[in-house]
Amino acid sequence: MITGTTTSGQPAEEPPRKGSDPDDTLEAAAVDGTAVAEPGDTAGTRAAGEAEPEDTTGATAAVEPQERPVGEAEPGDTAGATAARFLRSNRHLIALAVLCALSSALNWTLSLLRFAHFQVATYDLVIFDQAVRGYSHFSAPTVPLRGVTGGFGMDYIQLADHFSPILAVLAPLYWLHDGPETLLVAQAVLFALAIPFVWMFTRRVLGTPHAYLVSVAYAISWPIAQATAVEFHEVAFVPLLSAIAVERLHAGRRLPGLLAVLGLLLTKEDLGLMVAGLGVWLFFTGQRRLGAGLVFTGVAVFEVVRKFVIPLAGGNPAYYTRYSKLGEDLPQMVWSAVTRPHEFVAMLFDDHSKWDTWGLLLWPALFLCLLSPLVLAALPLILERLLADSDNWWSTGWHYDAFVVVILLMAGVDGAARLIRWLERRGVPRPGHGLRLAYAAAVFAVAVTTVPYRPFDNLMSPDFYHPDPRTAAREQAMSMVPDGVVVEATDDFGARLSGRRTVLWWDYQKRGTPWIVASVNNDLRGVVNSYLTEGYELRLDRDDIVVLHRIGA
């Protein structure tokens, strides 16, 4: 069990406490000695410098029966007793597996029902579908939808849009099922797989019951619900990777922690800022050399990818970087923050939507994340959003908050532990006060109260399970489009057509695309009629759904 640090800054290990349940003993405490436990909970660890309790078991050790390997039956054991012993010794593993399965099912039920009911958008699901399909065919991750719409052509590759080579790891799944549904299920599972690492971190810092409450709070948190509802994005990897990075580095296990950091750098170009933030956290918690290295690596990767890799792939790094009031790149923005700090800070709160975002991000951790240096790992991505010119980034209606949800919850756990220790040193709470459990329960309660206001609430509505009234017309329209052709589609059709066809966005630009499938209203009837005068025939017009085919194509 790690309870502190050595003089070199590395975590110091010591054996489990005498008399404790081996299954309740964790491998490590905080590298800065912050790990504590609720009285009576052996899953936590002592604060740095606390002495090991006197060993009183030596006198009886000789007569204790020798332990048998887990699962090995003793003479005369019944199968039921063996099974009970196995369940007891693996109870946390089983509980976490069940929790992950339930969370995955929750996520993919929401996603797949939206997909089945034509409620998913073409942007950005089809873009990622096309990219992963390219990887699965051992070819370039071309994204014709993004390329044609942006004026870059059919051969535009996803790496020119965002640096996300980690998408290639999903390619083998497309050998099982080639279609956007695969991405929706993969994201559901990836979100759920962060739960064990949130659990281990919380258990180490607060205790075992606390860990289950915080883990469930993460699983039903509004950022996860929102990201699930807006289809698939590269953020699918971030809660898992950030949870691994924080938990493993906090436990002093550098190799798996750094491998997770590498995964973050391969997920999106601006996650170099998160890596730099993780470095700042480590620096302030005693691992100065490693922390400084991560700061340098994160910033360097961010700059190199934006200024060299993305342009080399055919992209424009300035397309998503719009900070007209601060500068064109990171050095200029930092200089603006140093020379004009009042203006810099004012920009973070100059719109009501930014206040909403601050509140909704910090409230799930009861704002106690602000008491932990770990919050510095999330701060760069939050600043990147709120300082941008685009108001889309300020909103909580997209997937951006899922990038930092795990770090903020873990920071809240750490901040609560720090606050409670500070109070204990001053003798404020009585022994056995239960403040740690109260905090975990409050985090869980806050998560529950947000459910009715976010997309998971759809699953509690009977109407959500009813098919689209125009389903028959939609299915007929899609059946008319042959496999392997290029088709332009409106937002509701793109993802459903993408599995066996090359889908483009129908933006009325008249490119001569062979097929068009669209939901139209009265305002678009004139647009449809204009296509009929330019070489197209109307193959279907039913329930405001049309299919156009270019004659001779």
Side-chain angles (χ1 to χ4, degrees), residues 35-103:
V36 292
E38 195 73 18
D41 182 5
T42 59
T45 58
R46 295 175 304 283
E50 182 181 333
E52 180 81 22
E54 183 179 354
D55 186 0
T56 60
T57 62
T60 60
V63 298
E64 290 182 357
Q66 184 177 0
E67 288 190 10
R68 295 179 179 273
V70 174
E72 181 179 327
E74 295 183 5
D77 263 3
T78 65
T82 302
R85 187 165 50 255
F86 174 82
L87 292 175
R88 183 171 58 253
S89 61
N90 294 279
R91 61 191 181 278
H92 294 310
L93 179 62
I94 296 170
L96 287 173
V98 171
L99 186 55
C100 287
L102 292 175
S103 177

Side-chain angles (χ1 to χ4, degrees), residues 483-507:
D483 292 349
V485 300
V486 179
V487 54
E488 292 187 15
T490 49
D491 214 24
D492 49 345
F493 277 106
R496 293 294 299 269
L497 290 166
S498 184
R500 298 191 301 273
R501 305 153 184 106
T502 300
V503 173
L504 306 179
W505 176 261
W506 188 48
D507 54 2

Side-chain angles (χ1 to χ4, degrees), residues 443-456:
V443 168
F444 171 77
V446 167
V448 171
T449 61
T450 64
V451 170
Y453 304 98
R454 291 292 170 165
F456 283 150

Side-chain angles (χ1 to χ4, degrees), residues 244-282:
I244 295 174
V246 171
E247 193 279 324
R248 292 289 79 193
L249 290 172
H250 180 262
R253 298 297 187 259
R254 288 189 174 184
L255 180 58
L258 292 178
L259 289 175
V261 166
L262 175 61
L264 289 172
L265 293 174
L266 298 176
T267 300
K268 195 177 180 185
E269 63 277 2
D270 55 357
L271 288 178
L273 300 176
M274 177 182 283
V275 170
L278 288 170
V280 176
W281 163 59
L282 291 174

